[in-house]
Amino acid sequence: MSFIYRTRYVSTHTLPLLSLSQVVVGVVVESCGYSGGSGLGLSPSLKEQQQQQPRARLQRMESVPPVSRVAIFGGTHGDEMSGVCLVRHWLSDAGEVAAEISRPSFSSTPVMGNPRAVQHCTRYIDTDLNRCFTHEQLAMEVKEDTPYETLRAQEINRLFGPKGSDKAFDFIIDMHNTTSNMGNCLIVSNSADIVVLHMARYMQDICKSAISPVFLNEMAGVERCYASSVSKHGIGLELGPQPQGVARADVLIRMRKLVTTALDFLHLFNTGHEFPAGSLEVCRVTERIDYPRDSHGNLTAVIHPDLQDRDWEPLHPGKPVFLTLDGATVPYKGPSVTIPAFINEAAYYEKGLAFWATQREMLHFPALRVHGQASQAHI
Amino acid sequence: MSFIYRTRYVSTHTLPLLSLSQVVVGVVVESCGYSGGSGLGLSPSLKEQQQQQPRARLQRMESVPPVSRVAIFGGTHGDEMSGVCLVRHWLSDAGEVAAEISRPSFSSTPVMGNPRAVQHCTRYIDTDLNRCFTHEQLAMEVKEDTPYETLRAQEINRLFGPKGSDKAFDFIIDMHNTTSNMGNCLIVSNSADIVVLHMARYMQDICKSAISPVFLNEMAGVERCYASSVSKHGIGLELGPQPQGVARADVLIRMRKLVTTALDFLHLFNTGHEFPAGSLEVCRVTERIDYPRDSHGNLTAVIHPDLQDRDWEPLHPGKPVFLTLDGATVPYKGPSVTIPAFINEAAYYEKGLAFWATQREMLHFPALRVHGQASQAHI
């Protein structure tokens, strides 16, 4: 759909490992530390030469069809209470969609993602719903022992998809909570989706420092399996820290602000506003780090106090990551600095994940406007 | 077993409602605000006259049999991870009890309270185990549909009780976590248990400001139903804030300190140390406050940001307690100032409990020493 120009921020430790092929396909590796600076391991003239061609392509204007149907999911995980409370509230509004999520240029549909899990205030009944939206699972034959969440994913796909088709809803906003200190995190799963990138940048502009870095959960060769992948475009809102099964007012207020800001963006887009070319810093997942465990799979260590709650802060090799039950400190053994995310998320213990290692990357993308409408204004 | 002299701290609002009968049975009501001060609504001479008789009885020395068997429970709720991790660690120590919990004068037994719930990382399987230890449930006939936790409670009663008998274990320390900002809270369920009161005061002395007020969960006419009620003496350790299913290192470290301090106390007691007469401030539960709910029982409001995380801080009538989903503030409607506890605990949503209202009360108790041993030292 669009051309995205990437600048990847890595430490100087990894620079020699990267080949010129990454430049050829449009990825330029810069060594910048962790503040988005410009310190580059290449000479200025070579840098300019490499960037000239892809950057020229950013000058074009992308036009994309308007958004007509938007679904706002909560309770995709049944114990993440911000979304559960908000969807229930919007659905209870005398059968009409609450004014809070109504916009004149599109329909908004609040959806309780996993109603049975919500009823039991648990993440899921049989399996994690938010990993069920692969084409394979969506096409799976239903048997007696088919997990509830597979059935529900297929139902959601019928109602809001089919995934990857022209009939699919235009946008899904999926509300999540985490026990990690992730702040107001936006989750993007497709770095080629220019509408989502513009939305994220708009939300950063409106909410300023209240927005955490964007978490880019995109891995080569891995199909997107989230509920938000059923629609043409989708974004996840991941707010923390909040315990499972608890609704905190401060997190609820932040969630409302993010949802309404996302809807405002879509309405602006629909009504012809032009969004200029721009950039977005993201943290791209690179590696999953698990806890030390015994032969039974039980934890023999917990997140070290020096790392706890330090999501998004650079983690250097040799710095503490775990504290064993015997009192020993386990250092980070990665080859270079990483940006940890989802540190000590409750639901990830069973997934073998103590935190995600990520790398900063800068995405540059062209201007955006709605297809088929005259331009109204730059914002 | 012992005579406990109570001084109850209440606001002046409630003073006229209390009758002289409470003085006769040994309870003297003082109006002191919230800092344990001495402002009294009665004249000094009357006050002295009322307190003379009960206080005189505090001069005696209570002697109590030594403690020979101590059980340390974790995972009574399967998703409260401090206790789960510690019990698993102690049990994994090559079949021997870890030195950390060993003391020369008694045996220590780590116990996984609800192993099946631990396996599923959930609070319970069928029903809350820590409400199953009433004599009625412990004597209940086993049928096909008997809840798993009833069976487990009966098993625990066989292993560590029978409750109320001479054969019961001497002491159970039960480790819990809460999502509420309760700090390092000690839970006492029997204000007549002088060993537990002395232990709590000792732990406050050793841990100083790290200990929160003691939560006295004792209600007239209500049988104690906790796991810690199976043994002759028992105490609950309730540490927060920590999400369900998450093990935080800082909370784990605090839990270890409390457990080892409690064991140190028991060893000192066993070895003949005399503990002088003293006092302990407790917060006695007075009322359960539920969330505003709709006709289906679903929440229509959450804890107000002004109250969130303010466990143990005085809550005045008219101050905010809830924020509705419509944005309205619901004030506290109680008749007088209360001390809220367990604000926004995840597991209490289903119990119809947004927080406990409590009142401060001062318990005065006589000196303690072990029965049948010569005195060694005052501490």
Side-chain angles (χ1 to χ4, degrees):
Chain A
M1 175 195 291
S2 64
F3 177 76
I4 312 295
Y5 174 85
R6 295 178 181 80
T7 310
R8 186 158 160 215
Y9 292 102
V10 298
S11 92
T12 50
H13 302 289
T14 59
L15 192 59
L17 302 174
L18 296 158
S19 73
L20 194 65
S21 66
Q22 292 170 284
V23 177
V24 173
V25 296
V27 177
V28 175
V29 178
E30 289 182 321
S31 171
C32 67
Y34 301 94
S35 58
S38 60
L40 193 81
L42 309 174
S43 70
S45 61
L46 179 58
K47 174 187 171 187
E48 283 166 17
Q49 191 183 332
Q50 288 175 347
Q51 297 185 350
Q52 200 170 20
Q53 193 189 357
R55 282 210 166 134
R57 295 172 62 180
L58 293 174
Q59 302 308 315
R60 58 180 289 192
M61 166 71 72
E62 293 281 340
S63 67
V64 175
V67 165
S68 63
R69 294 179 301 165
V70 176
I72 307 164
F73 277 56
T76 300
H77 295 133
D79 54 6
E80 299 179 3
M81 296 298 286
S82 299
V84 170
C85 288
L86 286 173
V87 165
R88 196 179 269 143
H89 173 65
W90 292 327
L91 288 172
S92 72
D93 192 15
E96 296 179 17
V97 176
E100 184 176 15
I101 54 169
S102 293
R103 297 294 180 278
S105 65
F106 57 84
S107 70
S108 295
T109 307
V111 181
M112 197 66 88
N114 192 334
R116 202 180 290 181
V118 168
Q119 192 183 348
H120 290 84
C121 195
T122 185
R123 184 176 176 89
Y124 58 79
I125 301 298
D126 295 323
T127 190
D128 190 335
L129 174 63
N130 213 30
R131 305 293 183 273
C132 288
F133 294 92
T134 60
H135 281 99
E136 182 185 353
Q137 290 180 89
L138 294 176
M140 196 176 281
E141 187 187 355
V142 173
K143 297 179 181 172
E144 199 175 331
D145 60 352
T146 300
Y148 165 70
E149 277 79 9
T150 305
L151 299 174
R152 178 61 179 151
Q154 294 184 356
E155 186 178 29
I156 286 171
N157 192 48
R158 282 193 296 274
L159 292 168
F160 304 97
K163 176 176 176 169
S165 76
D166 285 345
K167 292 180 180 172
F169 260 53
D170 299 291
F171 213 107
I172 289 177
I173 300 169
D174 196 12
M175 297 182 287
H176 288 266
N177 293 122
T178 170
T179 62
S180 307
N181 189 25
M182 292 281 281
N184 296 334
C185 171
L186 312 181
I187 296 194
V188 174
S189 305
N190 178 9
S191 66
D193 189 333
I194 188 174
V195 176
V196 171
L197 299 184
H198 271 285
M199 172 186 274
R201 195 186 58 164
Y202 175 82
M203 292 169 80
Q204 285 186 335
D205 286 346
I206 297 295
C207 301
K208 299 283 186 299
S209 61
I211 294 273
S212 307
V214 171
F215 184 79
L216 180 57
N217 194 0
E218 179 186 58
M219 283 172 281
V222 178
E223 184 189 354
R224 289 179 294 133
C225 55
Y226 294 163
S228 57
S229 71
V230 167
S231 53
K232 296 192 181 82
H233 317 278
I235 197 166
L237 309 179
E238 189 75 67
L239 271 60
Q242 181 171 273
Q244 297 175 338
V246 166
R248 287 182 62 101
D250 51 354
V251 180
L252 198 73
I253 290 166
R254 284 155 45 193
M255 185 68 89
R256 295 180 102 137
K257 176 65 178 172
L258 292 195
V259 170
T260 55
T261 304
L263 297 174
D264 289 344
F265 165 82
L266 292 175
H267 181 60
L268 281 170
F269 165 70
N270 269 357
T271 52
H273 282 268
E274 282 184 12
F275 299 89
S279 303
L280 184 71
E281 187 181 275
V282 300
C283 287
R284 180 189 288 270
V285 296
T286 54
E287 193 183 356
R288 49 193 310 146
I289 311 291
D290 192 15
Y291 296 91
R293 296 176 188 264
D294 64 18
S295 58
H296 304 291
N298 294 321
L299 270 58
T300 57
V302 296
I303 293 290
H304 195 279
D306 288 0
L307 182 61
Q308 180 68 47
D309 302 326
R310 300 244 168 123
D311 305 76
W312 307 124
E313 294 183 25
L315 172 62
H316 293 256
K319 292 292 177 185
V321 284
F322 298 113
L323 180 67
T324 73
L325 271 293
D326 290 320
T329 292
V330 179
Y332 179 54
K333 292 171 184 151
S336 60
V337 183
T338 188
I339 307 294
F342 286 102
I343 299 168
N344 215 349
E345 156 59 37
Y348 291 172
Y349 281 58
E350 68 174 17
K351 295 183 193 294
L353 183 56
F355 61 92
W356 280 109
T358 78
Q359 291 290 342
R360 284 189 181 160
E361 190 172 299
M362 187 66 81
L363 304 180
H364 306 277
F365 39 87
L368 171 71
R369 73 175 174 201
V370 70
H371 182 70
Q373 285 210 12
S375 168
Q376 288 190 359
H378 284 274
I379 62 160
Chain B
M1 174 192 295
S2 64
F3 177 77
I4 312 296
Y5 175 84
R6 294 179 182 79
T7 309
R8 185 156 159 217
Y9 292 102
V10 298
S11 91
T12 50
H13 303 288
T14 59
L15 192 59
L17 302 174
L18 296 158
S19 75
L20 194 63
S21 65
Q22 290 172 285
V23 176
V24 173
V25 297
V27 177
V28 175
V29 177
E30 288 183 318
S31 171
C32 69
Y34 301 94
S35 59
S38 61
L40 194 79
L42 308 175
S43 70
S45 61
L46 180 56
K47 173 187 170 187
E48 283 165 15
Q49 189 182 333
Q50 287 177 347
Q51 297 185 350
Q52 200 169 19
Q53 191 188 358
R55 283 211 165 135
R57 297 173 61 181
L58 293 174
Q59 303 307 313
R60 58 180 289 193
M61 167 70 72
E62 294 282 341
S63 67
V64 175
V67 165
S68 63
R69 293 180 301 166
V70 176
I72 307 164
F73 276 56
T76 301
H77 294 133
D79 54 5
E80 298 179 2
M81 295 299 286
S82 299
V84 170
C85 288
L86 286 173
V87 165
R88 196 179 270 144
H89 173 64
W90 293 326
L91 287 173
S92 72
D93 192 14
E96 296 180 16
V97 175
E100 184 176 17
I101 55 168
S102 292
R103 297 294 181 278
S105 65
F106 56 84
S107 70
S108 295
T109 307
V111 181
M112 196 65 87
N114 192 334
R116 202 181 290 181
V118 168
Q119 192 182 349
H120 291 84
C121 195
T122 184
R123 183 175 176 90
Y124 58 78
I125 301 296
D126 295 324
T127 189
D128 191 334
L129 174 63
N130 213 31
R131 305 294 182 272
C132 287
F133 294 91
T134 60
H135 281 99
E136 182 184 352
Q137 291 180 88
L138 293 176
M140 195 175 281
E141 186 187 356
V142 173
K143 296 179 180 172
E144 198 175 332
D145 60 350
T146 300
Y148 164 71
E149 278 79 10
T150 305
L151 299 174
R152 178 62 180 151
Q154 295 185 355
E155 186 177 28
I156 286 171
N157 193 47
R158 282 193 297 275
L159 293 169
F160 304 98
K163 176 175 176 169
S165 77
D166 286 343
K167 293 181 180 173
F169 260 52
D170 299 291
F171 214 107
I172 289 178
I173 300 169
D174 197 12
M175 298 182 285
H176 288 266
N177 293 120
T178 170
T179 62
S180 306
N181 189 26
M182 291 281 280
N184 295 336
C185 173
L186 311 182
I187 297 194
V188 174
S189 304
N190 177 9
S191 66
D193 189 334
I194 188 174
V195 176
V196 171
L197 299 184
H198 271 285
M199 172 185 275
R201 196 187 55 164
Y202 176 81
M203 292 170 79
Q204 286 185 336
D205 286 346
I206 297 295
C207 301
K208 300 283 188 294
S209 60
I211 293 273
S212 307
V214 172
F215 185 79
L216 179 58
N217 195 0
E218 179 186 57
M219 283 172 281
V222 178
E223 184 189 353
R224 289 180 294 133
C225 55
Y226 294 165
S228 57
S229 71
V230 167
S231 53
K232 296 192 182 80
H233 317 277
I235 197 166
L237 310 179
E238 189 74 69
L239 272 58
Q242 180 171 274
Q244 297 175 337
V246 166
R248 286 182 63 102
D250 52 354
V251 180
L252 198 73
I253 290 166
R254 284 156 46 193
M255 185 68 89
R256 296 181 102 136
K257 175 66 177 169
L258 292 194
V259 170
T260 55
T261 304
L263 297 175
D264 289 344
F265 166 84
L266 292 175
H267 181 59
L268 282 170
F269 166 71
N270 269 357
T271 52
H273 282 267
E274 283 184 12
F275 299 88
S279 303
L280 183 72
E281 185 180 276
V282 299
C283 287
R284 180 189 288 271
V285 296
T286 54
E287 192 183 357
R288 49 193 310 146
I289 311 291
D290 192 16
Y291 296 91
R293 296 177 188 262
D294 64 18
S295 57
H296 304 290
N298 295 320
L299 271 56
T300 56
V302 296
I303 294 290
H304 195 278
D306 287 0
L307 182 62
Q308 179 69 47
D309 302 327
R310 301 243 169 122
D311 305 76
W312 308 123
E313 295 183 25
L315 172 63
H316 293 256
K319 291 293 178 185
V321 283
F322 299 112
L323 180 68
T324 73
L325 271 291
D326 290 321
T329 292
V330 179
Y332 180 53
K333 292 171 183 150
S336 59
V337 183
T338 188
I339 307 293
F342 286 101
I343 299 167
N344 214 349
E345 157 58 39
Y348 291 172
Y349 280 58
E350 67 174 17
K351 294 184 194 294
L353 183 56
F355 62 92
W356 280 109
T358 79
Q359 290 291 342
R360 284 189 180 161
E361 190 171 298
M362 188 65 84
L363 304 181
H364 306 278
F365 40 86
L368 171 72
R369 72 173 175 205
V370 72
H371 181 71
Q373 288 210 10
S375 170
Q376 289 191 359
H378 284 274
I379 62 160

